[in-house]
Amino acid sequence: MLYACTEHIELVLDVAVDEWEVAPKIEKTTDDNDATCSYCGNKATYTVAK
C-alpha cells in the first residue's frame, strides 16, 4: 500500500502500475488517518492499494 499527497498522486500511480502491473485502487484518506505521503512526508490525501 502506498500513500500520496495531492502533489505526488500521479507519481505514486505510475510507480504502482509499474511495480504491480495492475490498475491500483485509489481512495481518499479519512481525516483521522495519520498516514504520510510515501515521497515527501506530508499528510496523505490518497491511499493507493493493489
Side-chain angles (χ1 to χ4, degrees):
M1 185 175 298
L2 299 170
Y3 298 98
C5 64
T6 53
E7 182 179 342
H8 292 111
I9 186 62
E10 290 182 30
L11 176 62
V12 170
L13 290 175
D14 287 342
V15 169
V17 169
D18 287 345
E19 288 183 13
W20 302 332
E21 298 180 351
V22 295
K25 296 177 185 170
I26 306 161
E27 295 181 0
K28 281 212 164 209
T29 57
T30 58
D31 289 336
D32 61 343
N33 191 344
D34 292 333
T36 57
C37 176
S38 299
Y39 288 90
C40 68
N42 289 337
K43 183 165 175 52
T45 307
Y46 301 98
T47 302
V48 180
K50 199 172 195 180

